[in-house]
PDB file of all heavy atoms in Angstrom:
ATOM      1  N   LEU B   1      -3.122  -1.261  14.921  1.00 95.00           N
ATOM      2  CA  LEU B   1      -3.003  -1.833  16.203  1.00 95.00           C
ATOM      3  C   LEU B   1      -2.555  -0.855  17.321  1.00 95.00           C
ATOM      4  O   LEU B   1      -1.869   0.039  17.015  1.00 95.00           O
ATOM      5  CB  LEU B   1      -1.925  -3.048  16.085  1.00 95.00           C
ATOM      6  CG  LEU B   1      -2.360  -4.092  15.097  1.00 95.00           C
ATOM      7  CD1 LEU B   1      -1.153  -5.165  15.064  1.00 95.00           C
ATOM      8  CD2 LEU B   1      -3.644  -4.793  15.466  1.00 95.00           C
ATOM      9  N   PRO B   2      -2.934  -1.118  18.570  1.00 93.00           N
ATOM     10  CA  PRO B   2      -3.770  -2.234  19.126  1.00 93.00           C
ATOM     11  C   PRO B   2      -5.344  -2.018  18.972  1.00 93.00           C
ATOM     12  O   PRO B   2      -5.991  -2.897  19.408  1.00 93.00           O
ATOM     13  CB  PRO B   2      -3.444  -2.281  20.491  1.00 93.00           C
ATOM     14  CG  PRO B   2      -3.179  -0.796  20.880  1.00 93.00           C
ATOM     15  CD  PRO B   2      -2.515  -0.097  19.597  1.00 93.00           C
ATOM     16  N   GLU B   3      -5.783  -0.960  18.391  1.00 92.00           N
ATOM     17  CA  GLU B   3      -7.191  -0.594  18.337  1.00 92.00           C
ATOM     18  C   GLU B   3      -7.958  -1.644  17.452  1.00 92.00           C
ATOM     19  O   GLU B   3      -9.130  -1.749  17.839  1.00 92.00           O
ATOM     20  CB  GLU B   3      -7.445   0.782  17.782  1.00 92.00           C
ATOM     21  CG  GLU B   3      -6.826   1.873  18.633  1.00 92.00           C
ATOM     22  CD  GLU B   3      -5.483   2.284  18.062  1.00 92.00           C
ATOM     23  OE1 GLU B   3      -4.702   1.388  17.669  1.00 92.00           O
ATOM     24  OE2 GLU B   3      -5.181   3.495  18.202  1.00 92.00           O
ATOM     25  N   GLY B   4      -7.412  -2.170  16.438  1.00 95.00           N
ATOM     26  CA  GLY B   4      -8.197  -3.044  15.657  1.00 95.00           C
ATOM     27  C   GLY B   4      -9.047  -2.295  14.597  1.00 95.00           C
ATOM     28  O   GLY B   4      -9.991  -2.965  14.093  1.00 95.00           O
ATOM     29  N   THR B   5      -8.725  -0.984  14.379  1.00 92.00           N
ATOM     30  CA  THR B   5      -9.476  -0.160  13.566  1.00 92.00           C
ATOM     31  C   THR B   5      -8.991  -0.309  12.064  1.00 92.00           C
ATOM     32  O   THR B   5      -7.868  -0.361  11.779  1.00 92.00           O
ATOM     33  CB  THR B   5      -9.301   1.278  13.924  1.00 92.00           C
ATOM     34  OG1 THR B   5      -9.656   1.455  15.311  1.00 92.00           O
ATOM     35  CG2 THR B   5     -10.157   2.170  13.028  1.00 92.00           C
ATOM     36  N   ALA B   6     -10.021  -0.447  11.204  1.00 97.00           N
ATOM     37  CA  ALA B   6      -9.728  -0.507   9.742  1.00 97.00           C
ATOM     38  C   ALA B   6      -9.128   0.898   9.361  1.00 97.00           C
ATOM     39  O   ALA B   6      -9.799   1.940   9.471  1.00 97.00           O
ATOM     40  CB  ALA B   6     -10.861  -0.791   8.933  1.00 97.00           C
ATOM     41  N   ALA B   7      -7.893   0.968   8.871  1.00 97.00           N
ATOM     42  CA  ALA B   7      -7.329   2.288   8.516  1.00 97.00           C
ATOM     43  C   ALA B   7      -7.305   2.572   7.115  1.00 97.00           C
ATOM     44  O   ALA B   7      -6.941   3.658   6.784  1.00 97.00           O
ATOM     45  CB  ALA B   7      -5.881   2.146   9.150  1.00 97.00           C
ATOM     46  N   GLY B   8      -7.503   1.574   6.133  1.00 97.00           N
ATOM     47  CA  GLY B   8      -7.388   1.870   4.765  1.00 97.00           C
ATOM     48  C   GLY B   8      -7.078   0.572   3.974  1.00 97.00           C
ATOM     49  O   GLY B   8      -7.436  -0.543   4.461  1.00 97.00           O
ATOM     50  N   SER B   9      -6.512   0.729   2.795  1.00 97.00           N
ATOM     51  CA  SER B   9      -6.264  -0.491   1.945  1.00 97.00           C
ATOM     52  C   SER B   9      -4.889  -0.394   1.316  1.00 97.00           C
ATOM     53  O   SER B   9      -4.284   0.732   1.163  1.00 97.00           O
ATOM     54  CB  SER B   9      -7.271  -0.518   0.819  1.00 97.00           C
ATOM     55  OG  SER B   9      -7.185   0.645  -0.026  1.00 97.00           O
ATOM     56  N   ILE B  10      -4.364  -1.572   1.051  1.00 98.00           N
ATOM     57  CA  ILE B  10      -3.003  -1.681   0.428  1.00 98.00           C
ATOM     58  C   ILE B  10      -2.998  -2.997  -0.359  1.00 98.00           C
ATOM     59  O   ILE B  10      -3.789  -3.882   0.000  1.00 98.00           O
ATOM     60  CB  ILE B  10      -1.844  -1.535   1.435  1.00 98.00           C
ATOM     61  CG1 ILE B  10      -0.510  -1.314   0.798  1.00 98.00           C
ATOM     62  CG2 ILE B  10      -1.844  -2.765   2.303  1.00 98.00           C
ATOM     63  CD1 ILE B  10       0.571  -0.923   1.625  1.00 98.00           C
ATOM     64  N   GLY B  11      -2.175  -3.124  -1.380  1.00 97.00           N
ATOM     65  CA  GLY B  11      -2.057  -4.358  -2.088  1.00 97.00           C
ATOM     66  C   GLY B  11      -0.747  -4.287  -2.981  1.00 97.00           C
ATOM     67  O   GLY B  11      -0.018  -3.375  -2.986  1.00 97.00           O
ATOM     68  N   PHE B  12      -0.504  -5.416  -3.610  1.00 98.00           N
ATOM     69  CA  PHE B  12       0.463  -5.509  -4.599  1.00 98.00           C
ATOM     70  C   PHE B  12       0.071  -6.530  -5.660  1.00 98.00           C
ATOM     71  O   PHE B  12      -0.763  -7.377  -5.323  1.00 98.00           O
ATOM     72  CB  PHE B  12       1.902  -6.017  -3.901  1.00 98.00           C
ATOM     73  CG  PHE B  12       1.917  -7.395  -3.490  1.00 98.00           C
ATOM     74  CD1 PHE B  12       2.596  -8.450  -4.143  1.00 98.00           C
ATOM     75  CD2 PHE B  12       1.285  -7.707  -2.186  1.00 98.00           C
ATOM     76  CE1 PHE B  12       2.614  -9.676  -3.576  1.00 98.00           C
ATOM     77  CE2 PHE B  12       1.394  -8.967  -1.656  1.00 98.00           C
ATOM     78  CZ  PHE B  12       1.998  -9.993  -2.423  1.00 98.00           C
ATOM     79  N   TRP B  13       0.411  -6.243  -6.837  1.00 96.00           N
ATOM     80  CA  TRP B  13      -0.098  -6.998  -8.004  1.00 96.00           C
ATOM     81  C   TRP B  13       0.899  -7.079  -9.122  1.00 96.00           C
ATOM     82  O   TRP B  13       1.839  -6.362  -9.069  1.00 96.00           O
ATOM     83  CB  TRP B  13      -1.436  -6.390  -8.543  1.00 96.00           C
ATOM     84  CG  TRP B  13      -1.269  -4.915  -8.871  1.00 96.00           C
ATOM     85  CD1 TRP B  13      -0.944  -4.372  -9.951  1.00 96.00           C
ATOM     86  CD2 TRP B  13      -1.376  -3.857  -7.719  1.00 96.00           C
ATOM     87  NE1 TRP B  13      -0.831  -3.033  -9.861  1.00 96.00           N
ATOM     88  CE2 TRP B  13      -1.157  -2.580  -8.567  1.00 96.00           C
ATOM     89  CE3 TRP B  13      -1.723  -3.802  -6.484  1.00 96.00           C
ATOM     90  CZ2 TRP B  13      -1.156  -1.438  -7.930  1.00 96.00           C
ATOM     91  CZ3 TRP B  13      -1.747  -2.508  -5.929  1.00 96.00           C
ATOM     92  CH2 TRP B  13      -1.427  -1.363  -6.656  1.00 96.00           C
ATOM     93  N   GLU B  14       0.760  -7.865 -10.090  1.00 96.00           N
ATOM     94  CA  GLU B  14       1.600  -8.002 -11.273  1.00 96.00           C
ATOM     95  C   GLU B  14       1.305  -6.917 -12.251  1.00 96.00           C
ATOM     96  O   GLU B  14       0.136  -6.615 -12.542  1.00 96.00           O
ATOM     97  CB  GLU B  14       1.331  -9.454 -11.939  1.00 96.00           C
ATOM     98  CG  GLU B  14       2.254  -9.641 -13.106  1.00 96.00           C
ATOM     99  CD  GLU B  14       2.131 -10.919 -13.743  1.00 96.00           C
ATOM    100  OE1 GLU B  14       1.200 -11.720 -13.264  1.00 96.00           O
ATOM    101  OE2 GLU B  14       2.887 -11.289 -14.610  1.00 96.00           O
ATOM    102  N   THR B  15       2.362  -6.427 -12.742  1.00 94.00           N
ATOM    103  CA  THR B  15       2.337  -5.496 -13.798  1.00 94.00           C
ATOM    104  C   THR B  15       3.632  -5.711 -14.713  1.00 94.00           C
ATOM    105  O   THR B  15       4.376  -6.636 -14.427  1.00 94.00           O
ATOM    106  CB  THR B  15       2.167  -3.966 -13.384  1.00 94.00           C
ATOM    107  OG1 THR B  15       1.862  -3.136 -14.600  1.00 94.00           O
ATOM    108  CG2 THR B  15       3.400  -3.510 -12.625  1.00 94.00           C
ATOM    109  N   ALA B  16       3.924  -4.857 -15.722  1.00 93.00           N
ATOM    110  CA  ALA B  16       5.124  -4.947 -16.412  1.00 93.00           C
ATOM    111  C   ALA B  16       5.819  -3.593 -16.490  1.00 93.00           C
ATOM    112  O   ALA B  16       5.086  -2.525 -16.538  1.00 93.00           O
ATOM    113  CB  ALA B  16       4.921  -5.340 -17.877  1.00 93.00           C
ATOM    114  N   TRP B  17       7.101  -3.634 -16.359  1.00 93.00           N
ATOM    115  CA  TRP B  17       7.939  -2.271 -16.432  1.00 93.00           C
ATOM    116  C   TRP B  17       9.102  -2.605 -17.343  1.00 93.00           C
ATOM    117  O   TRP B  17       9.946  -3.427 -17.095  1.00 93.00           O
ATOM    118  CB  TRP B  17       8.323  -1.994 -15.041  1.00 93.00           C
ATOM    119  CG  TRP B  17       9.090  -0.685 -14.969  1.00 93.00           C
ATOM    120  CD1 TRP B  17      10.465  -0.581 -14.772  1.00 93.00           C
ATOM    121  CD2 TRP B  17       8.719   0.617 -15.242  1.00 93.00           C
ATOM    122  NE1 TRP B  17      10.858   0.739 -14.800  1.00 93.00           N
ATOM    123  CE2 TRP B  17       9.777   1.554 -15.082  1.00 93.00           C
ATOM    124  CE3 TRP B  17       7.396   1.184 -15.457  1.00 93.00           C
ATOM    125  CZ2 TRP B  17       9.707   2.871 -15.230  1.00 93.00           C
ATOM    126  CZ3 TRP B  17       7.318   2.601 -15.491  1.00 93.00           C
ATOM    127  CH2 TRP B  17       8.382   3.361 -15.437  1.00 93.00           C
ATOM    128  N   GLU B  18       9.107  -1.788 -18.435  1.00 92.00           N
ATOM    129  CA  GLU B  18      10.157  -1.947 -19.434  1.00 92.00           C
ATOM    130  C   GLU B  18      10.458  -3.372 -19.887  1.00 92.00           C
ATOM    131  O   GLU B  18      11.497  -3.833 -19.962  1.00 92.00           O
ATOM    132  CB  GLU B  18      11.481  -1.186 -18.872  1.00 92.00           C
ATOM    133  CG  GLU B  18      11.239   0.231 -18.562  1.00 92.00           C
ATOM    134  CD  GLU B  18      12.429   0.972 -18.157  1.00 92.00           C
ATOM    135  OE1 GLU B  18      13.473   0.217 -17.757  1.00 92.00           O
ATOM    136  OE2 GLU B  18      12.576   2.172 -18.248  1.00 92.00           O
ATOM    137  N   GLY B  19       9.350  -4.124 -20.035  1.00 92.00           N
ATOM    138  CA  GLY B  19       9.343  -5.487 -20.570  1.00 92.00           C
ATOM    139  C   GLY B  19       9.581  -6.558 -19.522  1.00 92.00           C
ATOM    140  O   GLY B  19       9.643  -7.798 -19.782  1.00 92.00           O
ATOM    141  N   GLU B  20       9.718  -6.084 -18.276  1.00 92.00           N
ATOM    142  CA  GLU B  20      10.016  -7.039 -17.107  1.00 92.00           C
ATOM    143  C   GLU B  20       8.711  -7.310 -16.277  1.00 92.00           C
ATOM    144  O   GLU B  20       8.071  -6.261 -15.874  1.00 92.00           O
ATOM    145  CB  GLU B  20      11.058  -6.525 -16.229  1.00 92.00           C
ATOM    146  CG  GLU B  20      11.384  -7.416 -15.019  1.00 92.00           C
ATOM    147  CD  GLU B  20      12.334  -6.648 -14.002  1.00 92.00           C
ATOM    148  OE1 GLU B  20      12.736  -5.525 -14.250  1.00 92.00           O
ATOM    149  OE2 GLU B  20      12.738  -7.246 -12.997  1.00 92.00           O
ATOM    150  N   PRO B  21       8.335  -8.525 -16.011  1.00 96.00           N
ATOM    151  CA  PRO B  21       7.271  -8.695 -15.100  1.00 96.00           C
ATOM    152  C   PRO B  21       7.661  -8.280 -13.671  1.00 96.00           C
ATOM    153  O   PRO B  21       8.766  -8.721 -13.175  1.00 96.00           O
ATOM    154  CB  PRO B  21       6.989 -10.145 -15.128  1.00 96.00           C
ATOM    155  CG  PRO B  21       8.215 -10.742 -15.547  1.00 96.00           C
ATOM    156  CD  PRO B  21       8.870  -9.751 -16.491  1.00 96.00           C
ATOM    157  N   VAL B  22       6.886  -7.485 -13.048  1.00 97.00           N
ATOM    158  CA  VAL B  22       7.217  -6.901 -11.667  1.00 97.00           C
ATOM    159  C   VAL B  22       5.950  -6.883 -10.821  1.00 97.00           C
ATOM    160  O   VAL B  22       4.803  -6.958 -11.286  1.00 97.00           O
ATOM    161  CB  VAL B  22       7.863  -5.523 -11.843  1.00 97.00           C
ATOM    162  CG1 VAL B  22       9.118  -5.503 -12.616  1.00 97.00           C
ATOM    163  CG2 VAL B  22       6.880  -4.464 -12.468  1.00 97.00           C
ATOM    164  N   TYR B  23       6.179  -6.542  -9.569  1.00 97.00           N
ATOM    165  CA  TYR B  23       5.015  -6.174  -8.687  1.00 97.00           C
ATOM    166  C   TYR B  23       4.851  -4.616  -8.701  1.00 97.00           C
ATOM    167  O   TYR B  23       5.873  -3.907  -8.766  1.00 97.00           O
ATOM    168  CB  TYR B  23       5.272  -6.596  -7.218  1.00 97.00           C
ATOM    169  CG  TYR B  23       5.349  -8.137  -7.026  1.00 97.00           C
ATOM    170  CD1 TYR B  23       6.441  -8.734  -6.440  1.00 97.00           C
ATOM    171  CD2 TYR B  23       4.238  -8.821  -7.170  1.00 97.00           C
ATOM    172  CE1 TYR B  23       6.495 -10.039  -6.069  1.00 97.00           C
ATOM    173  CE2 TYR B  23       4.135 -10.242  -6.874  1.00 97.00           C
ATOM    174  CZ  TYR B  23       5.337 -10.814  -6.289  1.00 97.00           C
ATOM    175  OH  TYR B  23       5.386 -12.152  -6.031  1.00 97.00           O
ATOM    176  N   GLU B  24       3.705  -4.281  -8.479  1.00 97.00           N
ATOM    177  CA  GLU B  24       3.355  -2.853  -8.172  1.00 97.00           C
ATOM    178  C   GLU B  24       2.557  -2.761  -6.850  1.00 97.00           C
ATOM    179  O   GLU B  24       1.803  -3.574  -6.646  1.00 97.00           O
ATOM    180  CB  GLU B  24       2.588  -2.209  -9.327  1.00 97.00           C
ATOM    181  CG  GLU B  24       2.287  -0.667  -9.091  1.00 97.00           C
ATOM    182  CD  GLU B  24       1.418  -0.111 -10.272  1.00 97.00           C
ATOM    183  OE1 GLU B  24       1.310  -0.638 -11.341  1.00 97.00           O
ATOM    184  OE2 GLU B  24       0.883   0.994 -10.088  1.00 97.00           O
ATOM    185  N   THR B  25       2.717  -1.650  -6.089  1.00 97.00           N
ATOM    186  CA  THR B  25       1.989  -1.431  -4.970  1.00 97.00           C
ATOM    187  C   THR B  25       1.295  -0.051  -4.859  1.00 97.00           C
ATOM    188  O   THR B  25       1.752   0.864  -5.551  1.00 97.00           O
ATOM    189  CB  THR B  25       2.780  -1.661  -3.627  1.00 97.00           C
ATOM    190  OG1 THR B  25       2.024  -1.529  -2.479  1.00 97.00           O
ATOM    191  CG2 THR B  25       3.953  -0.568  -3.528  1.00 97.00           C
ATOM    192  N   GLY B  26       0.299  -0.054  -4.169  1.00 95.00           N
ATOM    193  CA  GLY B  26      -0.428   1.257  -3.949  1.00 95.00           C
ATOM    194  C   GLY B  26      -1.332   1.138  -2.653  1.00 95.00           C
ATOM    195  O   GLY B  26      -1.710   0.034  -2.210  1.00 95.00           O
ATOM    196  N   TRP B  27      -1.625   2.243  -2.006  1.00 95.00           N
ATOM    197  CA  TRP B  27      -2.467   2.248  -0.806  1.00 95.00           C
ATOM    198  C   TRP B  27      -3.187   3.429  -0.609  1.00 95.00           C
ATOM    199  O   TRP B  27      -3.073   4.504  -1.293  1.00 95.00           O
ATOM    200  CB  TRP B  27      -1.453   2.037   0.397  1.00 95.00           C
ATOM    201  CG  TRP B  27      -0.461   3.212   0.502  1.00 95.00           C
ATOM    202  CD1 TRP B  27      -0.643   4.482   1.082  1.00 95.00           C
ATOM    203  CD2 TRP B  27       0.908   3.201   0.069  1.00 95.00           C
ATOM    204  NE1 TRP B  27       0.438   5.162   0.988  1.00 95.00           N
ATOM    205  CE2 TRP B  27       1.455   4.514   0.330  1.00 95.00           C
ATOM    206  CE3 TRP B  27       1.682   2.273  -0.630  1.00 95.00           C
ATOM    207  CZ2 TRP B  27       2.725   4.805  -0.001  1.00 95.00           C
ATOM    208  CZ3 TRP B  27       3.004   2.550  -0.892  1.00 95.00           C
ATOM    209  CH2 TRP B  27       3.512   3.843  -0.627  1.00 95.00           C
ATOM    210  N   THR B  28      -4.117   3.407   0.329  1.00 93.00           N
ATOM    211  CA  THR B  28      -5.005   4.488   0.806  1.00 93.00           C
ATOM    212  C   THR B  28      -5.171   4.451   2.279  1.00 93.00           C
ATOM    213  O   THR B  28      -5.420   3.430   2.812  1.00 93.00           O
ATOM    214  CB  THR B  28      -6.308   4.556   0.053  1.00 93.00           C
ATOM    215  OG1 THR B  28      -6.189   4.495  -1.365  1.00 93.00           O
ATOM    216  CG2 THR B  28      -7.154   5.805   0.428  1.00 93.00           C
ATOM    217  N   VAL B  29      -4.905   5.504   2.952  1.00 96.00           N
ATOM    218  CA  VAL B  29      -5.079   5.564   4.399  1.00 96.00           C
ATOM    219  C   VAL B  29      -6.280   6.680   4.699  1.00 96.00           C
ATOM    220  O   VAL B  29      -6.244   7.779   4.057  1.00 96.00           O
ATOM    221  CB  VAL B  29      -3.817   5.988   5.179  1.00 96.00           C
ATOM    222  CG1 VAL B  29      -4.062   6.169   6.641  1.00 96.00           C
ATOM    223  CG2 VAL B  29      -2.797   4.778   4.964  1.00 96.00           C
ATOM    224  N   LEU B  30      -7.135   6.273   5.455  1.00 96.00           N
ATOM    225  CA  LEU B  30      -8.339   7.244   5.793  1.00 96.00           C
ATOM    226  C   LEU B  30      -7.788   8.496   6.536  1.00 96.00           C
ATOM    227  O   LEU B  30      -6.826   8.343   7.358  1.00 96.00           O
ATOM    228  CB  LEU B  30      -9.303   6.510   6.745  1.00 96.00           C
ATOM    229  CG  LEU B  30      -9.990   5.302   6.150  1.00 96.00           C
ATOM    230  CD1 LEU B  30     -10.779   4.507   7.215  1.00 96.00           C
ATOM    231  CD2 LEU B  30     -11.040   5.727   5.083  1.00 96.00           C
ATOM    232  N   PRO B  31      -8.421   9.614   6.177  1.00 93.00           N
ATOM    233  CA  PRO B  31      -7.906  10.896   6.666  1.00 93.00           C
ATOM    234  C   PRO B  31      -7.644  10.989   8.165  1.00 93.00           C
ATOM    235  O   PRO B  31      -6.622  11.524   8.602  1.00 93.00           O
ATOM    236  CB  PRO B  31      -8.976  11.879   6.259  1.00 93.00           C
ATOM    237  CG  PRO B  31      -9.701  11.212   5.020  1.00 93.00           C
ATOM    238  CD  PRO B  31      -9.597   9.757   5.302  1.00 93.00           C
ATOM    239  N   GLY B  32      -8.510  10.518   9.009  1.00 90.00           N
ATOM    240  CA  GLY B  32      -8.431  10.591  10.407  1.00 90.00           C
ATOM    241  C   GLY B  32      -7.256   9.792  11.053  1.00 90.00           C
ATOM    242  O   GLY B  32      -6.942   9.970  12.135  1.00 90.00           O
ATOM    243  N   LEU B  33      -6.570   8.915  10.182  1.00 93.00           N
ATOM    244  CA  LEU B  33      -5.551   8.042  10.692  1.00 93.00           C
ATOM    245  C   LEU B  33      -4.233   8.369  10.063  1.00 93.00           C
ATOM    246  O   LEU B  33      -3.247   7.672  10.193  1.00 93.00           O
ATOM    247  CB  LEU B  33      -5.956   6.573  10.519  1.00 93.00           C
ATOM    248  CG  LEU B  33      -7.145   6.097  11.323  1.00 93.00           C
ATOM    249  CD1 LEU B  33      -7.647   4.768  10.879  1.00 93.00           C
ATOM    250  CD2 LEU B  33      -6.938   6.230  12.703  1.00 93.00           C
ATOM    251  N   GLN B  34      -4.238   9.365   9.155  1.00 91.00           N
ATOM    252  CA  GLN B  34      -3.022   9.823   8.500  1.00 91.00           C
ATOM    253  C   GLN B  34      -2.092  10.499   9.540  1.00 91.00           C
ATOM    254  O   GLN B  34      -2.548  11.041  10.520  1.00 91.00           O
ATOM    255  CB  GLN B  34      -3.258  10.685   7.312  1.00 91.00           C
ATOM    256  CG  GLN B  34      -4.062   9.963   6.225  1.00 91.00           C
ATOM    257  CD  GLN B  34      -4.447  10.936   5.095  1.00 91.00           C
ATOM    258  OE1 GLN B  34      -3.873  11.948   4.821  1.00 91.00           O
ATOM    259  NE2 GLN B  34      -5.332  10.458   4.248  1.00 91.00           N
ATOM    260  N   GLY B  35      -0.741  10.603   9.205  1.00 89.00           N
ATOM    261  CA  GLY B  35       0.093  11.241  10.097  1.00 89.00           C
ATOM    262  C   GLY B  35       0.638  10.377  11.289  1.00 89.00           C
ATOM    263  O   GLY B  35       1.242  10.852  12.167  1.00 89.00           O
ATOM    264  N   ARG B  36       0.214   9.111  11.226  1.00 90.00           N
ATOM    265  CA  ARG B  36       0.588   8.245  12.422  1.00 90.00           C
ATOM    266  C   ARG B  36       1.562   7.107  11.976  1.00 90.00           C
ATOM    267  O   ARG B  36       1.689   6.115  12.764  1.00 90.00           O
ATOM    268  CB  ARG B  36      -0.619   7.628  12.984  1.00 90.00           C
ATOM    269  CG  ARG B  36      -1.670   8.648  13.621  1.00 90.00           C
ATOM    270  CD  ARG B  36      -2.986   8.139  14.039  1.00 90.00           C
ATOM    271  NE  ARG B  36      -2.746   7.143  15.069  1.00 90.00           N
ATOM    272  CZ  ARG B  36      -3.840   6.484  15.686  1.00 90.00           C
ATOM    273  NH1 ARG B  36      -5.130   6.867  15.363  1.00 90.00           N
ATOM    274  NH2 ARG B  36      -3.599   5.633  16.660  1.00 90.00           N
ATOM    275  N   GLY B  37       2.047   7.134  10.802  1.00 94.00           N
ATOM    276  CA  GLY B  37       2.963   6.081  10.327  1.00 94.00           C
ATOM    277  C   GLY B  37       2.324   4.926   9.720  1.00 94.00           C
ATOM    278  O   GLY B  37       2.824   3.903   9.489  1.00 94.00           O
ATOM    279  N   VAL B  38       0.957   4.902   9.551  1.00 96.00           N
ATOM    280  CA  VAL B  38       0.200   3.776   9.085  1.00 96.00           C
ATOM    281  C   VAL B  38       0.693   3.417   7.671  1.00 96.00           C
ATOM    282  O   VAL B  38       0.955   2.183   7.400  1.00 96.00           O
ATOM    283  CB  VAL B  38      -1.284   4.118   9.113  1.00 96.00           C
ATOM    284  CG1 VAL B  38      -2.108   2.951   8.354  1.00 96.00           C
ATOM    285  CG2 VAL B  38      -1.780   4.261  10.560  1.00 96.00           C
ATOM    286  N   ALA B  39       0.775   4.380   6.776  1.00 96.00           N
ATOM    287  CA  ALA B  39       1.048   3.965   5.390  1.00 96.00           C
ATOM    288  C   ALA B  39       2.518   3.458   5.239  1.00 96.00           C
ATOM    289  O   ALA B  39       2.775   2.452   4.544  1.00 96.00           O
ATOM    290  CB  ALA B  39       0.932   5.259   4.408  1.00 96.00           C
ATOM    291  N   THR B  40       3.486   4.052   6.085  1.00 96.00           N
ATOM    292  CA  THR B  40       4.797   3.486   6.049  1.00 96.00           C
ATOM    293  C   THR B  40       4.817   2.049   6.593  1.00 96.00           C
ATOM    294  O   THR B  40       5.477   1.135   6.007  1.00 96.00           O
ATOM    295  CB  THR B  40       5.749   4.342   6.794  1.00 96.00           C
ATOM    296  OG1 THR B  40       5.643   5.782   6.342  1.00 96.00           O
ATOM    297  CG2 THR B  40       7.136   3.898   6.763  1.00 96.00           C
ATOM    298  N   ALA B  41       4.113   1.754   7.591  1.00 97.00           N
ATOM    299  CA  ALA B  41       4.173   0.558   8.276  1.00 97.00           C
ATOM    300  C   ALA B  41       3.587  -0.531   7.309  1.00 97.00           C
ATOM    301  O   ALA B  41       3.991  -1.657   7.137  1.00 97.00           O
ATOM    302  CB  ALA B  41       3.496   0.534   9.560  1.00 97.00           C
ATOM    303  N   ALA B  42       2.375  -0.031   6.778  1.00 98.00           N
ATOM    304  CA  ALA B  42       1.699  -1.078   5.861  1.00 98.00           C
ATOM    305  C   ALA B  42       2.504  -1.385   4.611  1.00 98.00           C
ATOM    306  O   ALA B  42       2.520  -2.500   4.177  1.00 98.00           O
ATOM    307  CB  ALA B  42       0.394  -0.492   5.568  1.00 98.00           C
TER     308      ALA B  42
END
């Protein structure tokens, strides 16, 4: 924002960690939009 440009992908999903059900997250930000705080904000 405010451009409305698609900058990448992010999500969260169920996994297990040391026997506990938890969420995991991961993301990708397109090269031309890195260094602008996009991944941190997302």
Side-chain angles (χ1 to χ4, degrees):
L1 300 176
E3 298 94 325
T5 303
S9 64
I10 192 167
F12 67 105
W13 53 91
E14 180 180 4
T15 190
W17 180 253
E18 298 181 344
E20 175 192 4
V22 299
Y23 291 122
E24 182 182 345
T25 185
W27 60 81
T28 305
V29 173
L30 293 171
L33 298 173
Q34 294 177 20
R36 299 175 59 177
V38 174
T40 302

